[in-house]
Protein backbone atom coordinates (compact mmCIF):
# COMPACT_ATOMS: atom_id res chain seq x y z
CA UNK A 1 0.00 0.00 0.00
CA UNK A 2 2.75 2.44 0.94
CA UNK A 3 3.70 3.54 -2.58
CA UNK A 4 0.14 4.60 -3.32
CA UNK A 5 -0.48 8.12 -4.63
CA UNK A 6 -3.85 9.86 -4.62
CA UNK A 7 -4.17 12.55 -7.30
CA UNK A 8 -6.65 15.39 -7.40
CA UNK A 9 -7.06 17.50 -10.52
CA UNK A 10 -8.57 20.97 -10.28
CA UNK A 11 -11.06 22.51 -12.70
CA UNK A 12 -8.52 24.18 -15.00
CA UNK A 13 -6.73 20.83 -15.39
CA UNK A 14 -9.98 19.33 -16.71
CA UNK A 15 -11.46 22.26 -18.60
CA UNK A 16 -11.41 20.70 -22.11
CA UNK A 17 -10.28 17.60 -24.00
CA UNK A 18 -6.75 18.98 -24.45
CA UNK A 19 -6.39 19.21 -20.69
CA UNK A 20 -7.78 15.69 -20.18
CA UNK A 21 -5.00 14.38 -22.43
CA UNK A 22 -2.38 16.00 -20.21
CA UNK A 23 -4.05 14.38 -17.20
CA UNK A 24 -3.86 10.96 -18.84
CA UNK A 25 -0.15 11.43 -19.56
CA UNK A 26 0.44 12.29 -15.92
CA UNK A 27 -1.56 9.28 -14.70
CA UNK A 28 0.19 6.94 -17.15
CA UNK A 29 3.62 8.16 -16.08
CA UNK A 30 3.35 6.51 -12.65
CA UNK A 31 1.38 3.33 -11.94
CA UNK A 32 1.27 4.22 -8.25
CA UNK A 33 -1.21 6.98 -9.11
CA UNK A 34 -4.16 4.74 -8.34
CA UNK A 35 -7.01 6.98 -7.27
CA UNK A 36 -7.98 10.16 -9.05
CA UNK A 37 -10.33 12.86 -7.76
CA UNK A 38 -11.64 15.25 -10.43
CA UNK A 39 -13.16 18.71 -10.04
CA UNK A 40 -15.73 19.97 -12.53
CA UNK A 41 -14.45 21.67 -15.72
CA UNK A 42 -13.07 25.09 -14.84
CA UNK A 43 -12.23 28.15 -16.91
CA UNK A 44 -10.39 27.72 -20.24
CA UNK A 45 -9.59 31.43 -20.47
CA UNK A 46 -10.08 34.45 -18.27
CA UNK A 47 -13.72 35.33 -18.98
CA UNK A 48 -14.87 31.74 -19.31
CA UNK A 49 -17.43 30.17 -16.95
CA UNK A 50 -16.82 27.38 -14.48
CA UNK A 51 -19.26 24.54 -15.00
CA UNK A 52 -20.14 24.59 -11.28
CA UNK A 53 -21.20 28.25 -11.56
CA UNK A 54 -23.36 27.43 -14.58
CA UNK A 55 -24.98 24.56 -12.69
CA UNK A 56 -25.82 26.85 -9.77
CA UNK A 57 -27.43 29.17 -12.34
CA UNK A 58 -29.48 26.29 -13.75
CA UNK A 59 -30.67 25.50 -10.26
CA UNK A 60 -31.71 29.14 -9.68
CA UNK A 61 -33.62 29.25 -12.94
CA UNK A 62 -35.32 25.92 -12.28
CA UNK A 63 -36.50 26.96 -8.82
CA UNK A 64 -38.18 29.97 -10.42
CA UNK A 65 -39.70 27.69 -13.06
CA UNK A 66 -37.71 29.48 -15.74
CA UNK A 67 -36.31 27.82 -18.82
CA UNK A 68 -32.82 26.41 -18.22
CA UNK A 69 -32.04 25.54 -21.86
CA UNK A 70 -29.67 28.38 -22.64
CA UNK A 71 -27.44 27.88 -19.61
CA UNK A 72 -27.69 24.10 -19.61
CA UNK A 73 -26.63 23.99 -23.26
CA UNK A 74 -23.35 25.72 -22.38
CA UNK A 75 -22.73 22.96 -19.82
CA UNK A 76 -23.74 20.33 -22.33
CA UNK A 77 -21.41 21.71 -25.03
CA UNK A 78 -18.48 21.57 -22.63
CA UNK A 79 -18.98 17.86 -21.93
CA UNK A 80 -19.73 16.98 -25.55
CA UNK A 81 -16.49 18.69 -26.62
CA UNK A 82 -14.57 16.70 -24.01
CA UNK A 83 -16.06 13.30 -24.83
CA UNK A 84 -15.78 13.88 -28.62
CA UNK A 85 -12.23 15.21 -28.31
CA UNK A 86 -11.25 12.07 -26.42
CA UNK A 87 -13.19 9.82 -28.82
CA UNK A 88 -15.03 8.14 -25.99
CA UNK A 89 -17.60 5.46 -26.34
CA UNK A 90 -20.08 7.19 -24.03
CA UNK A 91 -23.65 8.27 -24.67
CA UNK A 92 -23.13 11.75 -23.19
CA UNK A 93 -26.31 13.15 -24.79
CA UNK A 94 -28.42 10.67 -22.89
CA UNK A 95 -26.62 11.09 -19.57
CA UNK A 96 -26.94 14.88 -19.87
CA UNK A 97 -30.64 14.69 -20.80
CA UNK A 98 -31.34 12.64 -17.68
CA UNK A 99 -29.50 15.16 -15.48
CA UNK A 100 -31.36 18.02 -17.14
CA UNK A 101 -34.65 16.30 -16.31
CA UNK A 102 -33.61 15.96 -12.68
CA UNK A 103 -32.65 19.64 -12.48
CA UNK A 104 -36.04 20.69 -13.80
CA UNK A 105 -37.87 18.24 -11.56
CA UNK A 106 -36.79 19.65 -8.21
CA UNK A 107 -33.16 18.49 -8.02
CA UNK A 108 -31.73 19.98 -4.81
CA UNK A 109 -29.12 22.75 -5.03
CA UNK A 110 -26.32 20.42 -3.91
CA UNK A 111 -27.40 17.66 -6.28
CA UNK A 112 -27.32 20.07 -9.22
CA UNK A 113 -23.91 21.52 -8.25
CA UNK A 114 -22.40 18.07 -7.78
CA UNK A 115 -23.14 16.97 -11.35
CA UNK A 116 -20.07 18.85 -12.62
CA UNK A 117 -17.74 16.51 -10.74
CA UNK A 118 -19.98 13.49 -11.36
CA UNK A 119 -19.81 13.92 -15.14
CA UNK A 120 -16.06 14.53 -15.14
CA UNK A 121 -15.74 11.34 -13.07
CA UNK A 122 -17.74 9.30 -15.60
CA UNK A 123 -15.64 10.67 -18.45
CA UNK A 124 -12.30 10.11 -16.72
CA UNK A 125 -13.18 6.55 -15.72
CA UNK A 126 -14.01 5.74 -19.31
CA UNK A 127 -10.95 7.51 -20.71
CA UNK A 128 -8.40 6.10 -18.25
CA UNK A 129 -10.10 2.72 -18.00
CA UNK A 130 -10.41 3.15 -14.23
CA UNK A 131 -13.43 2.07 -12.17
CA UNK A 132 -15.99 4.81 -11.43
CA UNK A 133 -16.76 5.06 -7.72
CA UNK A 134 -19.70 7.40 -7.11
CA UNK A 135 -18.82 9.68 -4.19
CA UNK A 136 -22.39 9.32 -2.92
CA UNK A 137 -21.63 5.68 -2.01
CA UNK A 138 -18.38 6.32 -0.14
CA UNK A 139 -18.31 9.89 1.24
CA UNK A 140 -20.84 10.46 4.03
CA UNK A 141 -22.33 13.34 5.96
CA UNK A 142 -24.61 13.23 9.00
CA UNK A 143 -28.14 14.63 9.08
CA UNK A 144 -26.83 18.04 10.03
CA UNK A 145 -24.59 18.07 6.94
CA UNK A 146 -21.38 17.53 8.93
CA UNK A 147 -18.82 15.25 7.29
CA UNK A 148 -18.86 11.79 8.91
CA UNK A 149 -15.34 10.32 8.91
CA UNK A 150 -16.25 7.10 10.73
CA UNK A 151 -18.91 6.03 8.23
CA UNK A 152 -16.82 7.24 5.30
CA UNK A 153 -13.76 5.36 6.46
CA UNK A 154 -15.74 2.13 6.76
CA UNK A 155 -17.40 2.22 3.34
CA UNK A 156 -14.57 3.85 1.42
CA UNK A 157 -11.99 1.44 2.79
CA UNK A 158 -14.10 -1.54 1.77
CA UNK A 159 -14.45 -0.12 -1.72
CA UNK A 160 -10.77 0.76 -2.15
CA UNK A 161 -9.80 -2.75 -1.14
CA UNK A 162 -11.82 -4.03 -4.11
CA UNK A 163 -10.73 -1.42 -6.63
CA UNK A 164 -7.12 -1.18 -7.86
CA UNK A 165 -7.55 1.92 -10.03
CA UNK A 166 -10.50 4.21 -9.40
CA UNK A 167 -12.05 7.64 -10.06
CA UNK A 168 -13.93 9.29 -7.19
CA UNK A 169 -15.57 12.62 -8.08
CA UNK A 170 -14.67 15.42 -5.69
CA UNK A 171 -16.85 17.95 -3.85
CA UNK A 172 -19.84 15.80 -2.81
CA UNK A 173 -21.11 12.83 -0.89
CA UNK A 174 -24.44 11.86 0.64
CA UNK A 175 -26.43 11.99 3.86
CA UNK A 176 -27.80 8.91 5.59
CA UNK A 177 -31.06 9.24 3.66
CA UNK A 178 -29.14 9.18 0.38
CA UNK A 179 -29.54 12.89 -0.34
CA UNK A 180 -26.56 14.40 -2.19
CA UNK A 181 -24.67 17.06 -0.28
CA UNK A 182 -21.55 19.05 -1.16
CA UNK A 183 -18.63 20.50 0.74
CA UNK A 184 -18.19 24.27 0.46
CA UNK A 185 -16.76 25.68 -2.79
CA UNK A 186 -13.40 24.28 -3.79
CA UNK A 187 -14.27 21.13 -1.84
CA UNK A 188 -12.66 18.61 -4.21
CA UNK A 189 -9.44 19.36 -2.34
CA UNK A 190 -11.16 17.99 0.76
CA UNK A 191 -12.31 14.80 -1.01
CA UNK A 192 -8.73 14.22 -2.19
CA UNK A 193 -7.46 14.62 1.31
CA UNK A 194 -10.04 12.22 2.76
CA UNK A 195 -9.31 9.57 0.14
CA UNK A 196 -5.56 9.95 0.82
CA UNK A 197 -6.18 9.41 4.51
CA UNK A 198 -8.41 6.34 4.10
CA UNK A 199 -6.20 4.79 1.38
CA UNK A 200 -3.18 5.35 3.62
CA UNK A 201 -1.44 7.02 0.69
CA UNK A 202 2.25 7.79 0.59
CA UNK A 203 1.50 11.09 -1.15
CA UNK A 204 -1.44 13.33 -2.02
CA UNK A 205 -0.82 15.12 -5.32
CA UNK A 206 -2.94 18.20 -5.92
CA UNK A 207 -2.65 19.16 -9.60
CA UNK A 208 -3.57 22.68 -10.58
CA UNK A 209 -2.44 25.44 -12.95
CA UNK A 210 0.49 26.82 -10.95
CA UNK A 211 3.78 25.16 -10.06
CA UNK A 212 3.16 25.39 -6.32
CA UNK A 213 2.97 28.32 -3.93
CA UNK A 214 5.09 31.40 -4.44
CA UNK A 215 7.06 33.12 -1.69
CA UNK A 216 5.18 36.36 -2.38
CA UNK A 217 2.10 37.35 -4.38
CA UNK A 218 3.25 37.50 -8.05
CA UNK A 219 1.07 40.53 -8.75
CA UNK A 220 3.38 42.39 -6.35
CA UNK A 221 6.64 40.51 -6.92
CA UNK A 222 6.42 39.13 -10.49
CA UNK A 223 9.70 37.24 -10.26
CA UNK A 224 8.82 35.57 -6.94
CA UNK A 225 10.40 32.17 -6.50
CA UNK A 226 8.42 29.03 -5.61
CA UNK A 227 8.29 27.63 -2.10
CA UNK A 228 9.77 24.14 -2.41
CA UNK A 229 8.77 22.84 0.98
CA UNK A 230 6.42 24.20 3.63
CA UNK A 231 4.94 22.79 6.83
CA UNK A 232 1.20 22.63 7.48
CA UNK A 233 1.61 25.20 10.25
CA UNK A 234 3.42 27.69 8.05
CA UNK A 235 0.80 27.19 5.39
CA UNK A 236 -1.93 27.99 7.87
CA UNK A 237 -0.22 31.22 8.83
CA UNK A 238 0.14 32.24 5.19
CA UNK A 239 -3.36 31.27 4.14
CA UNK A 240 -4.84 33.08 7.13
CA UNK A 241 -3.11 36.19 5.89
CA UNK A 242 -4.66 35.85 2.48
CA UNK A 243 -2.24 33.74 0.44
CA UNK A 244 -4.35 31.70 -1.98
CA UNK A 245 -3.88 28.07 -1.04
CA UNK A 246 -5.93 24.93 -0.65
CA UNK A 247 -9.43 24.61 0.74
CA UNK A 248 -8.96 25.19 4.45
CA UNK A 249 -10.44 21.86 5.48
CA UNK A 250 -8.23 19.92 3.06
CA UNK A 251 -5.31 20.02 5.44
CA UNK A 252 -6.83 18.18 8.40
CA UNK A 253 -7.41 14.64 7.06
CA UNK A 254 -3.85 14.33 5.73
CA UNK A 255 -2.21 16.19 8.59
CA UNK A 256 -3.48 13.57 11.04
CA UNK A 257 -1.73 10.80 9.17
CA UNK A 258 1.22 12.97 8.09
CA UNK A 259 0.69 12.41 4.37
CA UNK A 260 2.58 15.06 2.38
CA UNK A 261 0.64 17.13 -0.16
CA UNK A 262 2.41 17.99 -3.40
CA UNK A 263 1.02 20.95 -5.35
CA UNK A 264 1.83 20.36 -9.05
CA UNK A 265 1.17 22.06 -12.36
CA UNK A 266 -0.74 20.01 -14.98
CA UNK A 267 0.64 22.30 -17.69
CA UNK A 268 4.24 21.90 -16.49
CA UNK A 269 4.52 18.38 -15.06
CA UNK A 270 8.32 18.67 -15.14
CA UNK A 271 8.16 21.20 -12.26
CA UNK A 272 8.41 19.63 -8.84
CA UNK A 273 5.96 22.13 -7.27
CA UNK A 274 5.53 22.72 -3.56
CA UNK A 275 5.49 19.94 -1.02
CA UNK A 276 3.54 20.41 2.20
CA UNK A 277 4.85 18.33 5.08
CA UNK A 278 4.25 17.94 8.78
CA UNK A 279 7.82 18.40 9.89
CA UNK A 280 10.65 19.80 7.82
CA UNK A 281 14.07 18.92 9.07
CA UNK A 282 16.01 20.40 6.18
CA UNK A 283 15.37 24.02 7.11
CA UNK A 284 18.10 26.54 6.58
CA UNK A 285 18.39 28.89 9.55
CA UNK A 286 17.93 32.54 8.72
CA UNK A 287 15.57 31.98 5.81
CA UNK A 288 11.92 32.82 5.42
CA UNK A 289 9.31 30.61 3.77
CA UNK A 290 6.68 33.06 2.60
CA UNK A 291 5.20 36.55 2.87
CA UNK A 292 1.49 37.34 2.79
CA UNK A 293 -0.71 40.15 3.92
CA UNK A 294 -4.03 41.92 3.90
CA UNK A 295 -5.11 45.52 3.83
CA UNK A 296 -7.79 47.41 5.74
CA UNK A 297 -7.48 46.81 9.43
CA UNK A 298 -8.62 49.14 12.20
CA UNK A 299 -6.75 49.56 15.46
CA UNK A 300 -8.69 50.50 18.56
CA UNK A 301 -6.28 51.54 21.30
CA UNK A 302 -7.60 51.75 24.83
CA UNK A 303 -5.48 53.70 27.31
CA UNK A 304 -5.83 53.52 31.06
CA UNK A 305 -3.16 54.19 33.63
CA UNK A 306 -2.47 51.16 35.83
CA UNK A 307 -4.86 48.97 33.85
CA UNK A 308 -2.78 45.92 34.74
CA UNK A 309 -3.94 46.24 38.35
CA UNK A 310 -7.54 45.68 37.30
CA UNK A 311 -7.75 41.93 36.99
CA UNK A 312 -11.01 42.00 35.06
CA UNK A 313 -10.01 44.75 32.62
CA UNK A 314 -9.03 42.47 29.76
CA UNK A 315 -12.05 40.24 30.11
CA UNK A 316 -14.43 43.21 30.02
CA UNK A 317 -12.70 44.67 27.01
CA UNK A 318 -12.73 41.45 25.03
CA UNK A 319 -16.34 40.72 25.91
CA UNK A 320 -17.38 43.88 24.05
CA UNK A 321 -16.01 42.37 20.84
CA UNK A 322 -17.48 38.99 21.63
CA UNK A 323 -20.97 40.32 22.19
CA UNK A 324 -20.74 42.30 18.93
CA UNK A 325 -19.62 39.17 17.08
CA UNK A 326 -16.29 40.60 15.96
CA UNK A 327 -13.09 38.53 15.74
CA UNK A 328 -9.95 40.06 17.16
CA UNK A 329 -6.92 39.59 14.92
CA UNK A 330 -4.17 40.82 17.25
CA UNK A 331 -3.80 42.47 20.63
CA UNK A 332 -0.43 44.16 21.09
CA UNK A 333 -0.11 45.89 24.45
CA UNK A 334 2.09 48.17 26.53
CA UNK A 335 1.92 48.95 30.24
CA UNK A 336 -0.95 51.41 30.16
CA UNK A 337 -2.54 50.68 26.81
CA UNK A 338 -3.82 47.84 24.76
CA UNK A 339 -4.63 47.82 21.06
CA UNK A 340 -7.23 45.67 19.43
CA UNK A 341 -6.71 44.99 15.74
CA UNK A 342 -9.80 44.03 13.78
CA UNK A 343 -10.60 43.86 10.10
CA UNK A 344 -12.39 46.97 8.86
CA UNK A 345 -14.88 44.89 6.89
CA UNK A 346 -15.98 43.10 10.01
CA UNK A 347 -16.44 46.13 12.22
CA UNK A 348 -18.47 48.00 9.59
CA UNK A 349 -20.92 50.39 11.17
CA UNK A 350 -20.56 49.01 14.69
CA UNK A 351 -17.61 51.23 15.60
CA UNK A 352 -19.55 53.90 17.51
CA UNK A 353 -21.43 51.27 19.48
CA UNK A 354 -18.24 49.43 20.36
CA UNK A 355 -16.48 52.58 21.55
CA UNK A 356 -19.45 53.40 23.71
CA UNK A 357 -19.54 49.94 25.27
CA UNK A 358 -15.78 50.00 25.94
CA UNK A 359 -16.28 53.34 27.67
CA UNK A 360 -19.07 52.00 29.85
CA UNK A 361 -17.44 48.71 30.80
CA UNK A 362 -13.75 49.59 31.15
CA UNK A 363 -13.83 53.33 32.00
CA UNK A 364 -10.67 54.09 30.03
CA UNK A 365 -8.68 57.35 30.03
CA UNK A 366 -8.80 57.51 26.24
CA UNK A 367 -9.79 55.50 23.18
CA UNK A 368 -7.90 56.15 19.95
CA UNK A 369 -9.06 54.66 16.67
CA UNK A 370 -6.83 54.55 13.63
CA UNK A 371 -7.71 52.99 10.32
CA UNK A 372 -6.04 52.10 7.01
CA UNK A 373 -3.60 49.67 8.46
CA UNK A 374 -2.28 46.74 6.43
CA UNK A 375 -0.83 43.63 8.05
CA UNK A 376 2.02 41.62 6.60
CA UNK A 377 3.03 38.21 7.92
CA UNK A 378 6.57 37.04 7.34
CA UNK A 379 6.43 33.30 7.93
CA UNK A 380 9.15 30.70 8.26
CA UNK A 381 10.36 27.92 10.50
CA UNK A 382 13.88 29.09 9.54
CA UNK A 383 13.31 32.14 11.76
CA UNK A 384 13.11 30.06 14.91
CA UNK A 385 16.14 30.79 17.14
CA UNK A 386 17.79 32.51 14.24
CA UNK A 387 19.37 35.89 14.82
CA UNK A 388 19.12 38.93 12.60
CA UNK A 389 15.84 38.15 10.82
CA UNK A 390 13.88 41.04 12.25
CA UNK A 391 16.93 43.27 11.74
CA UNK A 392 16.87 42.43 8.06
CA UNK A 393 13.11 43.00 7.75
CA UNK A 394 13.10 46.36 9.48
CA UNK A 395 16.22 47.60 7.70
CA UNK A 396 14.56 46.77 4.38
CA UNK A 397 11.45 48.72 5.42
CA UNK A 398 13.47 51.67 6.74
CA UNK A 399 15.40 51.89 3.49
CA UNK A 400 12.10 52.36 1.68
CA UNK A 401 11.03 54.95 4.28
CA UNK A 402 8.12 52.76 5.39
CA UNK A 403 6.85 53.46 8.88
CA UNK A 404 6.04 50.43 11.02
CA UNK A 405 2.89 50.98 13.09
CA UNK A 406 2.76 47.65 14.85
CA UNK A 407 4.87 44.53 15.37
CA UNK A 408 3.82 41.21 16.85
CA UNK A 409 5.69 37.98 17.04
CA UNK A 410 4.14 34.87 18.50
CA UNK A 411 6.33 33.01 20.95
CA UNK A 412 6.42 30.10 18.49
CA UNK A 413 8.66 32.41 16.40
CA UNK A 414 7.01 31.03 13.31
CA UNK A 415 5.86 34.42 12.05
CA UNK A 416 6.40 38.12 12.49
CA UNK A 417 3.38 40.31 11.83
CA UNK A 418 3.99 43.91 10.84
CA UNK A 419 1.38 46.67 10.68
CA UNK A 420 1.97 49.44 8.14
CA UNK A 421 -0.09 52.03 6.24
CA UNK A 422 -2.34 50.56 3.53
CA UNK A 423 -0.54 52.63 0.91
CA UNK A 424 2.85 51.10 1.80
CA UNK A 425 1.57 47.54 1.43
CA UNK A 426 2.99 46.59 -1.98
CA UNK A 427 6.31 48.36 -1.40
CA UNK A 428 6.76 46.67 1.94
CA UNK A 429 6.15 43.16 0.55
CA UNK A 430 8.60 43.81 -2.25
CA UNK A 431 11.24 45.19 0.11
CA UNK A 432 10.97 42.21 2.47
CA UNK A 433 11.09 39.74 -0.42
CA UNK A 434 14.25 41.34 -1.76
CA UNK A 435 15.92 41.33 1.62
CA UNK A 436 15.81 37.54 1.64
CA UNK A 437 16.05 36.61 -2.05
N1 LIG B 1 -16.37 22.49 -8.60
C1 LIG B 1 -16.44 22.94 -7.25
C2 LIG B 1 -16.22 24.44 -7.20
O1 LIG B 1 -16.10 25.09 -8.24
C3 LIG B 1 -15.55 22.21 -6.33
C4 LIG B 1 -14.08 22.20 -6.70
O2 LIG B 1 -13.72 22.59 -7.80
O3 LIG B 1 -13.28 21.80 -5.87
O4 LIG B 1 -16.21 25.00 -6.14
Amino acid sequence: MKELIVTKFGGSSLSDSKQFKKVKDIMDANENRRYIIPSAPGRRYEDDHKVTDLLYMCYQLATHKLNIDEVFNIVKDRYIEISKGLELDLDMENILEEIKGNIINDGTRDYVASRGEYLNGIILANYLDFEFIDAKDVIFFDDMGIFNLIETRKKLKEKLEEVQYGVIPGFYGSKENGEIITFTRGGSDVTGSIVSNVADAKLYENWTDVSGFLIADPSIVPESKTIHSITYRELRELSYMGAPVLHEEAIFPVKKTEIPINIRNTNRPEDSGTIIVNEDTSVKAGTITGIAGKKDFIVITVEKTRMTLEKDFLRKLISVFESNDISIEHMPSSIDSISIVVSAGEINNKLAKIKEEIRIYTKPDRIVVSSNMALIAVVGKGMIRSKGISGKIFTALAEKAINVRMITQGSSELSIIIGIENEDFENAIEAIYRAFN
Side-chain angles (χ1 to χ4, degrees), residues 125-408:
N126 189 288
Y127 182 46
L128 298 174
D129 200 16
F130 277 27
E131 185 159 335
F132 177 73
I133 303 172
D134 193 340
K136 83 170 178 8
D137 301 325
V138 287
I139 303 283
F140 297 103
F141 293 77
D142 66 16
D143 279 346
M144 306 286 288
I146 311 270
F147 171 65
N148 180 344
L149 181 62
I150 297 172
E151 195 58 22
T152 299
R153 182 185 290 285
K154 201 168 118 219
K155 293 274 169 50
L156 181 57
K157 213 173 177 66
E158 264 172 38
K159 192 77 196 170
L160 297 183
E161 271 159 18
E162 281 166 25
V163 177
Q164 269 268 4
Y165 290 92
V167 183
I168 305 154
F171 191 39
Y172 72 92
S174 66
K175 286 195 200 171
E176 273 156 48
N177 62 5
E179 188 187 322
I180 298 274
I181 171 162
T182 67
F183 290 105
T184 51
R185 294 299 305 265
S188 300
D189 281 344
V190 188
T191 311
S193 184
I194 293 164
V195 175
S196 302
N197 173 319
V198 173
D200 194 16
K202 180 190 78 168
L203 181 66
Y204 170 26
E205 287 179 344
N206 193 298
W207 292 82
T208 170
D209 51 9
V210 288
S211 296
F213 305 137
L214 297 174
I215 296 174
D217 181 344
S219 66
I220 301 171
V221 185
E223 74 282 13
S224 171
K225 292 186 198 145
T226 304
I227 300 173
H228 293 295
S229 163
I230 185 167
T231 61
Y232 298 122
R233 281 182 61 207
E234 290 173 301
L235 188 68
R236 244 190 87 61
E237 299 263 353
L238 285 174
S239 61
Y240 187 71
M241 283 304 268
V245 288
L246 294 167
H247 190 296
E248 216 187 329
E249 280 157 51
I251 304 285
F252 301 111
V254 280
K255 187 168 187 275
K256 254 193 226 151
T257 42
E258 301 191 9
I259 300 167
I261 310 176
N262 192 185
I263 310 293
R264 301 281 297 264
N265 188 346
T266 303
N267 306 315
R268 289 183 57 90
E270 64 280 14
D271 293 350
S272 55
T274 300
I275 186 114
I276 310 165
V277 289
N278 196 36
E279 211 61 69
D280 189 351
T281 43
S282 65
V283 187
K284 270 222 295 267
T287 56
I288 63 165
T289 304
I291 312 163
K294 281 190 204 166
K295 286 186 180 175
D296 293 325
F297 288 91
I298 287 189
V299 187
I300 302 166
T301 302
V302 183
E303 296 176 5
K304 185 169 190 183
T305 315
R306 293 159 71 82
M307 66 160 70
T308 41
L309 294 180
E310 288 179 40
K311 306 245 173 358
D312 54 358
F313 182 85
L314 212 54
R315 177 174 50 79
K316 286 180 179 162
L317 179 62
I318 292 173
S319 67
V320 171
F321 291 85
E322 185 187 353
S323 60
N324 282 285
D325 198 23
I326 287 168
S327 329
I328 297 173
E329 299 286 330
H330 295 282
M331 264 187 9
S333 64
S334 58
I335 308 171
D336 290 331
S337 81
I338 183 153
S339 298
I340 310 269
V341 181
V342 292
S343 108
E346 203 167 338
I347 209 152
N348 271 321
N349 41 16
K350 293 182 192 162
L351 189 58
K353 178 167 178 268
I354 285 174
K355 275 170 70 179
E356 186 55 24
E357 288 178 18
I358 294 176
R359 228 170 256 132
I360 295 169
Y361 293 125
T362 70
K363 306 195 173 47
D365 300 336
R366 209 159 80 105
I367 302 174
V368 184
V369 176
S370 58
S371 51
N372 297 326
M373 187 167 81
L375 291 179
I376 294 179
V378 185
V379 176
K381 67 245 167 217
M383 306 198 305
I384 300 174
R385 306 232 159 71
S386 176
K387 296 170 202 79
I389 300 260
S390 25
K392 242 174 158 172
I393 296 173
F394 295 112
T395 308
L397 296 175
E399 277 167 5
K400 291 268 170 193
I402 295 169
N403 178 42
V404 175
R405 283 173 54 180
M406 188 196 91
I407 307 167
T408 58

Side-chain angles (χ1 to χ4, degrees), residues 8 10-11 39-40 50 52-53 56 113 117 170-171 184-189:
K8 178 255 166 181
S39 283
K50 289 183 174 186
T52 310
D53 291 335
Y56 278 123
E117 276 59 21
F171 191 39
T184 51
R185 294 299 305 265
S188 300
D189 281 344

Side-chain angles (χ1 to χ4, degrees), residues 408-424:
T408 58
Q409 181 179 30
S411 45
S412 67
E413 289 186 65
L414 194 63
S415 68
I416 297 177
I417 315 271
I418 303 152
I420 48 164
E421 292 294 327
N422 268 346
E423 59 180 37
D424 288 330

